[in-house]
Amino acid sequence: MNRALRIIFSRYGIVVIILVLVLGVIALATERQQTPLDGGVSNSGSSTSEASSEAFTEDDGLATENCEGDDCYPDVELPQEAVDRSVEFAEVWLNPNGHNADSWYDSLLPFITDEQAELLQGVDPISVPATAITGDPVPEGAKVGIPMDTGTLTLTMTEGSNNLTGTGWLVSAIDWEQS
Protein backbone atom coordinates (compact mmCIF):
# COMPACT_ATOMS: atom_id res chain seq x y z
CA MET A 1 0.00 0.00 0.00
CA ASN A 2 2.79 2.39 0.91
CA ARG A 3 4.58 1.64 -2.36
CA ALA A 4 1.39 2.30 -4.38
CA LEU A 5 0.87 5.68 -2.70
CA ARG A 6 4.48 6.61 -3.35
CA ILE A 7 4.03 5.86 -7.06
CA ILE A 8 0.72 7.74 -7.29
CA PHE A 9 2.07 10.86 -5.55
CA SER A 10 5.37 10.90 -7.43
CA ARG A 11 5.73 13.44 -10.23
CA TYR A 12 5.02 10.73 -12.81
CA GLY A 13 1.90 9.61 -11.01
CA ILE A 14 0.59 13.16 -10.82
CA VAL A 15 1.30 13.68 -14.54
CA VAL A 16 -0.70 10.53 -15.34
CA ILE A 17 -3.60 11.68 -13.13
CA ILE A 18 -3.68 15.12 -14.82
CA LEU A 19 -3.51 13.49 -18.26
CA VAL A 20 -6.46 11.23 -17.44
CA LEU A 21 -8.48 14.23 -16.19
CA VAL A 22 -7.73 16.30 -19.31
CA LEU A 23 -8.67 13.43 -21.63
CA GLY A 24 -11.89 12.93 -19.67
CA VAL A 25 -12.85 16.60 -20.01
CA ILE A 26 -12.09 16.53 -23.74
CA ALA A 27 -14.21 13.41 -24.16
CA LEU A 28 -17.13 15.01 -22.31
CA ALA A 29 -16.83 18.24 -24.33
CA THR A 30 -16.78 16.34 -27.61
CA GLU A 31 -19.82 14.32 -26.58
CA ARG A 32 -21.66 17.56 -25.59
CA GLN A 33 -20.97 19.13 -29.01
CA GLN A 34 -22.55 16.16 -30.73
CA THR A 35 -25.69 16.35 -28.59
CA PRO A 36 -28.54 18.38 -30.12
CA LEU A 37 -29.91 21.34 -28.19
CA ASP A 38 -33.20 19.57 -27.49
CA GLY A 39 -31.43 16.79 -25.60
CA GLY A 40 -31.58 14.37 -28.53
CA VAL A 41 -35.36 14.23 -28.71
CA SER A 42 -37.11 15.67 -31.74
CA ASN A 43 -40.80 15.84 -32.58
CA SER A 44 -40.75 12.44 -34.23
CA GLY A 45 -39.04 10.79 -31.26
CA SER A 46 -35.81 10.08 -33.14
CA SER A 47 -32.50 11.43 -31.93
CA THR A 48 -31.57 13.45 -35.00
CA SER A 49 -30.93 17.17 -34.68
CA GLU A 50 -32.68 18.15 -37.93
CA ALA A 51 -35.86 19.36 -36.19
CA SER A 52 -34.02 21.50 -33.66
CA SER A 53 -31.66 23.05 -36.21
CA GLU A 54 -34.53 24.15 -38.47
CA ALA A 55 -35.79 26.52 -35.78
CA PHE A 56 -32.44 28.31 -35.73
CA THR A 57 -32.12 28.76 -39.48
CA GLU A 58 -35.27 30.85 -39.97
CA ASP A 59 -34.58 34.52 -40.71
CA ASP A 60 -35.69 36.71 -37.83
CA GLY A 61 -35.00 39.91 -39.81
CA LEU A 62 -32.63 41.39 -37.24
CA ALA A 63 -29.23 40.53 -38.65
CA THR A 64 -27.63 38.82 -41.59
CA GLU A 65 -24.42 36.88 -41.91
CA ASN A 66 -22.82 39.65 -44.00
CA CYS A 67 -23.86 42.37 -41.59
CA GLU A 68 -21.39 45.20 -40.92
CA GLY A 69 -21.71 48.39 -38.88
CA ASP A 70 -24.97 50.10 -37.98
CA ASP A 71 -26.84 48.58 -40.96
CA CYS A 72 -27.27 45.30 -39.08
CA TYR A 73 -30.37 46.39 -37.26
CA PRO A 74 -33.76 47.29 -38.63
CA ASP A 75 -34.79 50.94 -38.62
CA VAL A 76 -36.42 51.55 -35.29
CA GLU A 77 -38.13 54.80 -34.48
CA LEU A 78 -37.63 55.71 -30.86
CA PRO A 79 -40.70 56.90 -28.98
CA GLN A 80 -40.69 60.46 -27.67
CA GLU A 81 -40.23 59.06 -24.16
CA ALA A 82 -36.81 57.66 -25.15
CA VAL A 83 -35.77 60.95 -26.76
CA ASP A 84 -36.86 62.90 -23.68
CA ARG A 85 -34.94 60.48 -21.45
CA SER A 86 -31.79 60.98 -23.55
CA VAL A 87 -32.05 64.76 -23.13
CA GLU A 88 -32.50 64.34 -19.37
CA PHE A 89 -29.34 62.24 -19.30
CA ALA A 90 -27.43 64.84 -21.35
CA GLU A 91 -28.46 67.60 -18.94
CA VAL A 92 -27.14 65.60 -15.98
CA TRP A 93 -24.03 64.53 -17.94
CA LEU A 94 -23.07 68.19 -18.43
CA ASN A 95 -22.85 68.49 -14.62
CA PRO A 96 -24.51 71.92 -14.26
CA ASN A 97 -24.50 71.62 -10.46
CA GLY A 98 -20.72 71.13 -10.27
CA HIS A 99 -20.88 67.73 -8.55
CA ASN A 100 -17.68 65.95 -7.61
CA ALA A 101 -16.90 62.67 -9.39
CA ASP A 102 -18.81 60.41 -6.98
CA SER A 103 -22.01 62.47 -6.79
CA TRP A 104 -21.94 63.11 -10.57
CA TYR A 105 -21.67 59.36 -11.17
CA ASP A 106 -24.54 58.73 -8.74
CA SER A 107 -26.71 61.28 -10.58
CA LEU A 108 -26.12 59.42 -13.88
CA LEU A 109 -27.06 55.97 -12.55
CA PRO A 110 -30.87 56.26 -13.01
CA PHE A 111 -30.35 56.96 -16.72
CA ILE A 112 -27.87 54.24 -17.74
CA THR A 113 -27.68 50.46 -18.06
CA ASP A 114 -25.64 48.48 -15.55
CA GLU A 115 -23.01 47.78 -18.23
CA GLN A 116 -22.66 51.49 -19.01
CA ALA A 117 -22.47 52.23 -15.27
CA GLU A 118 -19.41 49.97 -15.03
CA LEU A 119 -17.76 51.87 -17.88
CA LEU A 120 -18.43 55.28 -16.31
CA GLN A 121 -17.24 54.32 -12.85
CA GLY A 122 -14.25 56.48 -11.89
CA VAL A 123 -14.76 59.04 -14.69
CA ASP A 124 -14.17 62.63 -13.62
CA PRO A 125 -16.92 65.08 -14.72
CA ILE A 126 -14.19 67.56 -15.63
CA SER A 127 -13.52 65.35 -18.67
CA VAL A 128 -16.99 66.14 -20.12
CA PRO A 129 -16.10 68.01 -23.33
CA ALA A 130 -19.15 70.31 -23.47
CA THR A 131 -20.93 72.87 -21.33
CA ALA A 132 -24.36 73.34 -22.93
CA ILE A 133 -26.98 71.76 -25.18
CA THR A 134 -27.36 73.96 -28.27
CA GLY A 135 -30.11 72.30 -30.29
CA ASP A 136 -32.95 69.83 -30.45
CA PRO A 137 -32.23 66.10 -30.20
CA VAL A 138 -32.07 64.18 -33.47
CA PRO A 139 -33.29 60.57 -33.19
CA GLU A 140 -31.94 58.15 -35.77
CA GLY A 141 -32.75 54.49 -35.30
CA ALA A 142 -31.93 53.52 -31.72
CA LYS A 143 -29.59 56.51 -31.32
CA VAL A 144 -30.22 60.12 -30.37
CA GLY A 145 -27.80 62.87 -31.40
CA ILE A 146 -27.79 65.86 -29.09
CA PRO A 147 -26.01 68.97 -30.41
CA MET A 148 -23.72 70.61 -27.86
CA ASP A 149 -21.55 73.72 -27.89
CA THR A 150 -18.39 71.78 -28.84
CA GLY A 151 -19.74 68.71 -30.66
CA THR A 152 -22.48 66.10 -30.73
CA LEU A 153 -23.33 63.67 -27.97
CA THR A 154 -24.76 60.46 -29.46
CA LEU A 155 -26.63 58.19 -27.09
CA THR A 156 -27.80 54.67 -27.88
CA MET A 157 -31.09 54.04 -26.13
CA THR A 158 -32.42 50.69 -25.04
CA GLU A 159 -35.52 49.65 -23.17
CA GLY A 160 -34.66 47.82 -19.98
CA SER A 161 -34.04 48.22 -16.29
CA ASN A 162 -31.08 48.79 -14.03
CA ASN A 163 -30.49 48.43 -10.30
CA LEU A 164 -32.15 51.76 -9.48
CA THR A 165 -35.12 52.11 -11.81
CA GLY A 166 -37.95 50.02 -13.11
CA THR A 167 -38.37 49.23 -16.77
CA GLY A 168 -37.86 52.23 -19.01
CA TRP A 169 -35.52 53.81 -21.54
CA LEU A 170 -31.84 53.76 -20.59
CA VAL A 171 -28.59 54.88 -22.22
CA SER A 172 -26.63 51.81 -23.26
CA ALA A 173 -23.78 53.57 -25.11
CA ILE A 174 -22.29 57.06 -25.18
CA ASP A 175 -20.38 58.46 -28.14
CA TRP A 176 -18.86 61.92 -28.60
CA GLU A 177 -18.04 63.63 -31.89
CA GLN A 178 -16.04 66.82 -31.65
CA SER A 179 -17.13 69.62 -33.99
Side-chain angles (χ1 to χ4, degrees):
M1 180 70 171
N2 196 15
R3 181 168 170 82
L5 289 175
R6 217 174 341 143
I7 292 173
I8 290 174
F9 290 112
S10 70
R11 64 179 132 181
Y12 299 114
I14 292 175
V15 168
V16 170
I17 291 170
I18 291 172
L19 185 61
V20 168
L21 288 173
V22 168
L23 291 175
V25 168
I26 290 172
L28 288 174
T30 304
E31 180 180 319
R32 179 69 183 148
Q33 287 177 351
Q34 294 172 352
T35 305
L37 294 175
D38 62 359
V41 179
S42 64
N43 294 339
S44 63
S46 66
S47 63
T48 64
S49 63
E50 292 175 20
S52 63
S53 65
E54 287 175 10
F56 295 108
T57 58
E58 294 178 19
D59 186 10
D60 60 3
L62 292 178
T64 62
E65 291 180 22
N66 298 327
C67 186
E68 293 180 14
D70 292 337
D71 298 331
C72 299
Y73 304 99
D75 290 334
V76 176
E77 187 173 326
L78 287 174
Q80 187 61 39
E81 177 187 357
V83 176
D84 293 343
R85 189 80 170 153
S86 69
V87 172
E88 290 173 18
F89 169 82
E91 290 169 348
V92 173
W93 182 72
L94 289 172
N95 195 21
N97 299 323
H99 291 294
N100 65 23
D102 291 333
S103 60
W104 175 73
Y105 173 76
D106 291 341
S107 67
L108 295 176
L109 289 176
F111 299 97
I112 57 181
T113 61
D114 293 333
E115 294 81 18
Q116 190 63 39
E118 289 179 25
L119 294 173
L120 285 176
Q121 195 165 17
V123 173
D124 192 346
I126 292 175
S127 66
V128 173
T131 57
I133 297 173
T134 59
D136 293 331
V138 180
E140 186 176 325
K143 297 181 179 186
V144 179
I146 302 173
M148 304 252 172
D149 55 349
T150 58
T152 303
L153 176 66
T154 304
L155 304 172
T156 304
M157 303 301 291
T158 186
E159 198 168 15
S161 63
N162 61 17
N163 291 332
L164 295 176
T165 62
T167 302
W169 288 97
L170 300 171
V171 175
S172 62
I174 302 169
D175 191 24
W176 175 257
E177 185 178 325
Q178 192 78 27
S179 58

